Amino acid sequence: MPDREASREILFELTAVGGAVRVVAIDAATGIEVTIMGPTTAPRAALQRLAAQKLERRLAREGGTGRA
């Protein structure tokens, strides 16, 4: 799984919402996006990793690469 993540360009948008952080992960090739929420105390890398994993699951569910 790390090899697929390394070859895929993922864009992240992090927004503070009260005591939480909203993280949007967007696959650059397809435009498919997922959103997670986490505590502001969580490390940024951990939130991005979780969002990337959720995005990978979504892409796999929708047919793998799903190139647009």
Side-chain angles (χ1 to χ4, degrees):
M1 184 175 195
D3 293 334
R4 284 184 289 164
E5 287 182 24
S7 64
R8 182 178 302 281
E9 183 179 9
I10 300 174
L11 308 171
F12 294 100
E13 177 183 331
L14 287 83
T15 307
V17 181
V21 178
R22 178 178 184 260
V23 182
V24 179
I26 306 163
D27 178 58
T30 63
I32 293 174
E33 64 181 58
V34 297
T35 303
I36 66 162
M37 296 289 286
T40 56
T41 57
R44 179 179 180 167
L47 294 171
Q48 288 179 325
R49 184 174 55 249
L50 181 62
Q53 290 170 347
K54 183 175 180 180
L55 180 60
E56 286 293 329
R57 286 191 309 270
R58 168 99 183 266
L59 291 169
R61 188 178 71 226
E62 294 190 7
T65 59
R67 302 274 179 210

